[in-house]
Amino acid sequence: PPSPDAGPGEVKLWVNLGMDDGMDEAKLPATLESLGAPGGKVIRALTRPTYGYVYVPEAEAPGFEALNGKTHADKALKLERHRPRGQREERRPRHEALPDVPGQARLWVGLGRQEGLDEAGVTAALEAAGAPAGKVLRTDLRPTYAYVFVAEEDVAGFEATHGKPHGENKTLKVERAKRK
C-alpha cells in the first residue's frame, strides 16, 4: 500500500536504505542518527525492501538532507524529499539493451561509469580479479553497472570473480543477467 503523505509541519524523506540493507522502523532512524542526523527527530519511519521513508519536522529536514553522499556499509546514502506522484518528473526512457546473440551469455556486473570506468576498464577490472583474459566479447556500460557478454563456455571463469575485491572498498558482483 502507498505510504501516507507528510502531515502539517512534516517532511517525508525518501532514503535509499531498506529491509535489504537490514533496516526496520527502529534501525533506520538510528542509522541516520549515527551518520549525523539530528537525534530523536524522526516522527515515524517506514521501510520497504530497497528504500525507506522517514517523517521529520520541517525545520529538521536540512539536517537529514545533509547526509546525502555519506557512506553506510559501502553504499552512498541518498535522501530526498518525497514528491507525490503528480509532482514527479517524467522518467527518462529506459536504455535499450544490446540484443542477445546465440552462444553468448549476458552477465550483470556491479561496476559502471560511477566508478570512473569505461568499457575497457570494466574488462580490465574483471581480468584483474581472475576472469579469463581476452574473453569479453562486448560490453553494455551503464551508470551503476554493466552487462558483459562472453561465450557460454567462459561463464564459469567470470562468475568465479564474484565476491573478489575491486579497489579498496568494493566487492565485485557478477551474475548471469536476468530477463525482465
Side-chain angles (χ1 to χ4, degrees):
S3 58
D5 288 331
E10 292 179 357
V11 172
K12 178 180 176 182
L13 296 171
W14 175 89
V15 185
N16 70 331
L17 295 175
M19 293 181 286
D20 292 351
D21 301 298
M23 297 295 132
D24 61 23
E25 281 72 17
K27 288 181 184 172
L28 182 56
T31 299
L32 296 176
E33 288 175 14
S34 75
L35 294 169
K41 299 298 182 180
V42 173
I43 298 165
R44 70 178 171 272
L46 299 172
T47 55
R48 303 288 191 258
T50 59
Y51 61 93
Y53 293 111
V54 289
Y55 297 77
V56 301
E58 193 156 350
E60 303 296 337
F64 285 84
E65 291 169 319
L67 299 179
N68 266 315
K70 288 201 175 187
T71 304
H72 172 72
D74 295 330
K75 186 174 190 175
L77 201 60
K78 295 180 191 171
L79 283 98
E80 57 188 48
R81 290 177 188 239
H82 173 74
R83 295 179 309 272
R85 288 201 183 270
Q87 297 174 9
R88 295 182 195 165
E89 295 175 19
E90 285 292 317
R91 287 186 178 173
R92 293 178 283 158
R94 286 193 179 263
H95 184 316
E96 288 298 317
L98 292 176
D100 287 339
V101 174
Q104 291 182 8
R106 184 168 63 116
L107 301 175
W108 181 91
V109 178
L111 297 174
R113 284 190 198 99
Q114 80 177 16
E115 281 86 28
L117 298 175
D118 58 10
E119 293 171 354
V122 171
T123 299
L126 291 168
E127 290 176 356
K135 297 294 186 172
V136 172
L137 302 172
R138 56 196 173 122
T139 304
D140 185 2
L141 187 63
R142 308 291 177 93
T144 58
Y145 62 94
Y147 290 118
V148 174
F149 294 81
V150 301
E152 282 289 343
E153 60 267 15
D154 296 322
V155 169
F158 283 85
E159 288 178 328
T161 65
H162 182 82
K164 294 203 175 164
H166 171 73
E168 292 181 27
N169 296 322
K170 186 149 179 112
T171 301
L172 275 177
K173 295 179 183 173
V174 179
E175 59 190 44
R176 234 179 233 274
K178 298 172 180 74
R179 279 280 166 213
K180 289 195 175 202

